[in-house]
Amino acid sequence: MISLTINGKTRELDSDPDTPLLWALRDELKMTGTKLGCGMALCGACTVHMNGSPVRACSLPISAAAGAKIETIEGIDSPVFHAVQQAWRELDVVQCGYCQSGQIMSATALLQGNKKPSDAQIDAAMSGNLCRCATYHRIRSAIHRAAD
Ligand code: FES
């Protein structure tokens, strides 16, 4: 049995310890806000926070997440997160939307550690989150707006 703390709640999973956290979230806990893109830690669609830092849930075994504080798009709740959500809405960032929960989780992690990031810092922090609709300029603008 593996015990995970997800969005402040303890969840017990009777799964193989090597199960990727993304599978546990989506298939076992029915939390589908975190998306599967590449499944190989390359695209960022599956980004969640572990102890406040962005991690790729597709390549993180649940054994490595045990004891950590995991936050997903469904449960994260902080002033920075709400500012990011609002900026995303105001600037109409989303196109198809598939990658956006991962984008928002990475943007929130960035702003939690850096209240006024530069363009270069935003680009560096967001470089692991791919968007096939190329919403990168709007994402950068929204991060600046959320930081204001
Ligand atoms: Fe995890 Fe692409 S689905 S990085």
Side-chain angles (χ1 to χ4, degrees), residues 22 35-46 56-59:
L22 181 61
K35 302 301 184 194
L36 168 63
C38 65
M40 298 189 299
L42 297 172
C43 77
C46 64
R56 306 282 163 79
C58 71
S59 56

Side-chain angles (χ1 to χ4, degrees), residues 108-122:
T108 302
L110 167 66
L111 289 170
Q112 279 168 352
N114 181 347
K115 304 237 172 298
K116 209 74 180 161
S118 64
D119 281 349
Q121 289 169 327
I122 292 171

